[in-house]
Structures are given as structure tokens and as C-alpha cells.
Amino acid sequence: MNEFLPFSRPSIDEATIAAVAETLRSGWITSGPKVQEFEKQLSGYFGGRPVRTFNSGTCTMEIALRIAGLGHGDEVITTPISWVATANVILEVGATPVFADVDPATRNIDLDKVEAAITPRTKAIIPVYLAGKPVDMDRLYKIAARHKLRVVEDAAQAIGSTWQGKPIGSFGDFVSFSFQANKNITTSEGGCLVLNNTEEAALAEKYRLQGVTRSGYDGIEVDVLGGKFNMTDIAAAIGLGQFAQLNMITAQRRKLARHYFATLGKDFEAQTGAQLPPADFENTNWHLFQVVLPERITRADFMARMKDKNIGIGYHYAPIHLFKLYRAQGFKEGMFPIAERVGRQIVSLPMFAAMNENDVERTCVAMCEVLEN
Ligand SMILES: *Cc1c(COP(=O)(O)O)cnc(C)c1O
């Protein structure tokens, strides 16, 4: 029997391991020169826009909402198909989450439904680029401009993705990335926020570390309520090593995604009733390769039978509005039917840079066997 194939696994090279060891020996292990260097390199990649790093992707979105001044009485529109962090940050700042259903083809928020959900209290949109696939960015920013809304892009999964040749993060409003262990590049845990100007960057620094600012000679002042969200130099050393591999990782994932399509063949959907992801090789970084299963098989059954064949399957995500915390806010079944169907049947097949074409083929054979009987 083949060895177990997980759905995701980080690729950390020896140079990165050596850089982490060097940082540990350096005597400076919290935020320091490695964090500054990582922020500088990220900023270069994002077209020179200000970038600050943090200890999670989640807190970058919360901080972006705080910088935008959002709070009680403000509505923020987002998708029900995301990691729960995307909606939790809205509640965290005291604002009200408003969900808009997803597009069945992209599984991303449906921009028609975003427009329909806008009220006089709407202040921001948090689009999510599921599996790294961007929404229609031109249309997103047209809607935002027309209704004077801030955008906090949940690009947690989208580092390396592009729009009309430009990296996601190199344009737009706030753009948030995660470097959690499963993401295309990782710092084990961490994230970064791309900002619009130096004023926002200064505020991000305050929110990142207890609201502290340095003012005057040897003095400090605290004038906003910040938290403890800084990245360590140990994490930044991992990030620098990973960032150097970003193009390789993205290219490898695109190659594997193409191989999934080629191996499954053009009749796969008609034969099995399963739905493949949109075949986007221009913009998507292929953070995930997601299939929506036909209704005749439950996800739990599919996952168990794939596990018997030594293949790990993930799922991203259960619809947020059906969690107890969100039901308590008045959300219930039937409100977002496409998200509910996708959320029930979506699975993530193995996809990571160190995988090979044989792993793809093994997964396809196993999946077809499970779907055929
Ligand atoms: C990973 C992820 C997050 C959260 O990032 P953390 O770094 O784990 O805090 C938020 N949204 C999406 C879509 C994600 O994939």
C-alpha cells in the first residue's frame, strides 16, 4: 500500500532551517531585523505598498477594521464559505456581519448578491479568495467606490495569485494574508497586512503592540487600545526562506492542478456528478484543489473511504452562518442555499508543492473508485 498522502504539507528547505537556527543563536528572537527584512521584501513584491507583519492572518483583518474605524451599528458584508475567522473579526470589533451567498462556479462571494445586501449602514466588504481564486477585482472596487465602502480583502489563501498580471495585494484597499502552516507560504503562524499609506501603517503598528507609540526623547505614549500581535524574528526567518520559494511553489501547484484536470478528463463531471473548480491557470495560486461531491454520497463517507485508500481529504468550509454563535445572531438554514449545498459537499484533494504527478494520479483513481460505487 502507498504511504499516507496528506491533503497539505509545508515545504521548508534546509536553508530556511539553517536561518531559523541562526536566528535562535543570535540572541534576538522576538520582533527585530528579520521582521523588518521580511516586511521590506513583501512591500517590494506588493509594488512598494506599506506592509506590516503580525502573529496571525486573523488579527490583520481585525486591525484593518479598527483602522477603518468600524464598530457598533456598522454592517460588513462577507461570504458564508470561509474559515470562521473572516466573520469573527467583524463581531470582534462590534460590527454586524451580513452574509451574501456564493457563486456556485467559483464558490466565492457573488458580487450581485453583495450589491443587493448593501444598506445605508454598510461600511465594508470582506471578500474571500477561496483556494486563491480572486473575485472580479474590477467589479469589486467599482461597487466599493460607488457605495463608498472600505474593502478588507481576505487574501489569506491568495499569496501568489494575480489579477490582470498584478499580484493580489499590489493594488486595492486593505489586503490581508495568512502564513498559517497550511498556506502556500508559511511562518508556522503569522500574517501580513498591506495598507494604503504611512498613517495607516503607523496605526497598524500601534494596534499590533499595546497601542504604544514612541514620542519625544526616550518617551513612550499610549493613546489607542492595542493588543499583542507582533511577529517574531523566528517566524520571519521562516517567512523569508518561504518567500524566496514563492514563485516555485505557485508554479508547482499550477502544474499539479493542470495534471488533476488532465487525469480526470473532460467527462469526469458528466460521469460522476461531481463539480471541479474553475480551470483558472492565469490568476489562481491553487491553494486548494476543491471538488463539490454529488449529493448521493456524504462527505463523511467520501473522506472515510479515501482515508482507507491512504489519502487525506480536507474540507473548506462549513458555512459560517450555521454555527451556533451565528445562529444566535439570527442566521438559519435556507438563508444562503448555494453556500449550504457547497459547504455540505465540498472537499479539498491533496495539493502541496512537494507532491508529484503520481500522487495526483493515485488520488484521481481512488476518487473515481469511491464515486463509482
Ligand atoms: C487561514 C485563513 C484565515 C485565518 O488565518 P490565520 O493565520 O489562521 O489567523 C482567514 N481566512 C481564510 C480564508 C483562511 O484561509
Side-chain angles (χ1 to χ4, degrees), residues 55-59 61 82-83 85-86 128-130 154-157 177-180 183 189-191 287 317:
N55 59 14
S56 76
T58 304
C59 74
M61 292 191 280
S82 184
W83 177 227
T86 311
V128 175
Y129 311 144
L130 194 67
D154 182 347
Q157 304 185 356
F177 293 90
S178 168
F179 303 128
Q180 185 267 342
K183 302 304 196 292
E189 296 288 353
H287 172 61
Y317 291 98

Side-chain angles (χ1 to χ4, degrees), residues 46 49-52 54 60-61 64 129 137 141 151-156 158-159 167-178 191-196 200:
F46 295 124
R49 299 183 73 199
V51 179
R52 294 296 178 271
F54 299 84
T60 65
M61 292 191 280
Y129 311 144
M137 302 300 290
Y141 277 102
V151 177
V152 179
E153 298 181 32
D154 182 347
I159 194 139
I168 293 297
S170 67
F171 62 96
D173 195 353
F174 296 107
V175 189
S176 155
F177 293 90
S178 168
C192 75
L193 182 62
V194 186
L195 302 126
N196 296 290
E200 285 181 1

Side-chain angles (χ1 to χ4, degrees), residues 61-78 86-87 89-98 120-126 148-152 173-174 200 203 207:
M61 292 191 280
E62 182 185 326
I63 288 169
L65 292 173
R66 290 195 195 284
I67 294 171
L70 267 78
H72 283 281
D74 298 330
E75 293 176 356
V76 181
I77 301 174
T78 193
T86 311
V89 295
I90 301 170
L91 293 176
E92 199 67 57
V93 303
T96 305
V98 172
R121 301 194 332 163
T122 308
K123 293 285 155 53
I125 311 172
I126 308 185
K148 298 194 167 47
L149 307 176
R150 295 304 300 261
V151 177
V152 179
D173 195 353
F174 296 107
E200 285 181 1
L203 259 180
Y207 283 120

Side-chain angles (χ1 to χ4, degrees), residues 102 112 254 330:
V102 298
D112 286 331
R254 284 187 176 149

Side-chain angles (χ1 to χ4, degrees), residues 318-351:
I320 297 172
H321 68 285
L322 299 180
F323 289 129
K324 275 188 187 163
L325 178 70
Y326 289 86
R327 287 178 189 265
Q329 314 269 328
F331 296 107
K332 50 181 186 286
E333 241 128 37
M335 283 183 158
F336 309 103
I338 301 167
E340 288 165 27
R341 180 177 60 79
V342 168
R344 192 168 54 240
Q345 295 301 92
I346 200 165
V347 292
S348 302
L349 306 186
M351 173 56 92

